[in-house]
């Protein structure tokens, strides 16, 4: 009789523990158990892509970009960018389209500075995000691992 009482007590404790976990930490339980308990299943988290173990850098020569104000050159923006890619086919593809990438960067920075969009060329995070999107338009998504600023500064005329 004592064994039956102990087993029933253990089952009640285990059930209470599972119910408590489902209320306070639902991510620890499998979705099937949550559905059986009548709990809402949390959405699955997106898998974060891991960085490749080996990458190579494609060096874009320093770009000296004139910034115009009122039809006159006001200052120069000097960008020295590195494109981080996987070795092999991705490296070859970026090297083949290097001239188109440089052209797209020049056009985009000119357009960004002429439209005076805030934060514009002064915010490096915004500029990096936009230039990375322009580069991915040319070479395709997933080719570029990272866009690195080696040197960025403005030089007066």
């Amino acid at each position: 009789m004592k064994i039956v009482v102990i087993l029933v007590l253990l089952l009640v404790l285990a059930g209470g523990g599972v119910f408590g976990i489902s209320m306070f930490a639902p991510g620890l339980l499998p979705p099937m158990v949550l559905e059986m308990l009548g709990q809402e299943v949390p959405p699955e988290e997106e898998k974060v892509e891991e960085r490749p173990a080996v990458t190579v850098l494609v060096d874009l020569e320093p770009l000296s970009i004139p910034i115009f104000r009122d039809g006159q050159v006001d200052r120069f923006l000097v960008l020295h960018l590195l494109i981080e890619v996987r070795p092999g086919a991705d490296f070859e593809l970026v090297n083949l389209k290097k001239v188109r990438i440089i052209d797209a960067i020049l056009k985009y920075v000119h357009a960004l500075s002429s439209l005076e969009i805030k934060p514009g060329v002064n915010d490096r995070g915004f500029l990096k995000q936009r230039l990375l999107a322009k580069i991915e338009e040319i070479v395709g998504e997933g080719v570029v691992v990272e866009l690195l600023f080696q040197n960025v500064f403005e030089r007066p005329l």
Side-chain angles (χ1 to χ4, degrees):
M1 186 66 172
K2 289 182 183 180
I3 294 177
V4 172
V5 171
I6 292 173
L7 287 176
V8 169
L9 195 60
L10 286 175
L11 285 174
V12 169
L13 285 174
V18 169
F19 183 74
I21 289 174
S22 73
M23 295 301 287
F24 297 109
L28 296 175
L29 294 175
M32 181 181 70
V33 173
L34 290 174
E35 287 176 3
M36 287 187 339
L37 293 172
Q39 298 291 326
E40 185 175 319
V41 179
E44 292 185 26
E45 296 178 10
E46 292 183 21
K47 229 179 182 180
V48 177
E49 292 185 26
E50 293 184 22
R51 290 180 57 90
V54 178
T55 58
V56 292
L57 297 173
V58 177
D59 186 11
L60 301 180
E61 297 298 322
L63 305 172
S64 184
I65 306 167
I67 305 294
F68 293 92
R69 293 282 175 252
D70 300 323
Q72 300 292 323
V73 176
D74 182 47
R75 64 191 188 278
F76 288 93
L77 176 68
V78 179
L79 287 175
H80 189 185
L81 301 172
L82 301 171
I83 302 174
E84 186 177 7
V85 295
R86 290 171 201 81
D90 291 347
F91 177 73
E92 297 298 325
L93 177 65
V94 170
N95 267 329
L96 283 174
K97 298 196 176 191
K98 193 179 201 180
V99 174
R100 290 190 65 210
I101 292 170
I102 291 171
D103 183 51
I105 290 171
L106 291 172
K107 284 180 183 176
Y108 187 77
V109 171
H110 274 292
L112 192 62
S113 68
S114 69
L115 294 174
E116 296 181 10
I117 296 173
K118 298 297 178 198
V121 294
N122 294 328
D123 184 2
R124 303 304 181 234
F126 175 76
L127 184 62
K128 177 181 178 178
Q129 176 188 16
R130 298 306 309 146
L131 291 179
L132 190 58
K134 292 308 268 181
I135 293 170
E136 285 183 343
E137 284 179 12
I138 296 169
V139 297
E141 285 191 38
V143 174
V144 177
V145 174
E146 186 69 62
L147 179 65
L148 306 170
F149 289 114
Q150 183 169 354
N151 204 355
V152 179
F153 62 92
E154 288 184 0
R155 184 176 50 116
L157 181 63

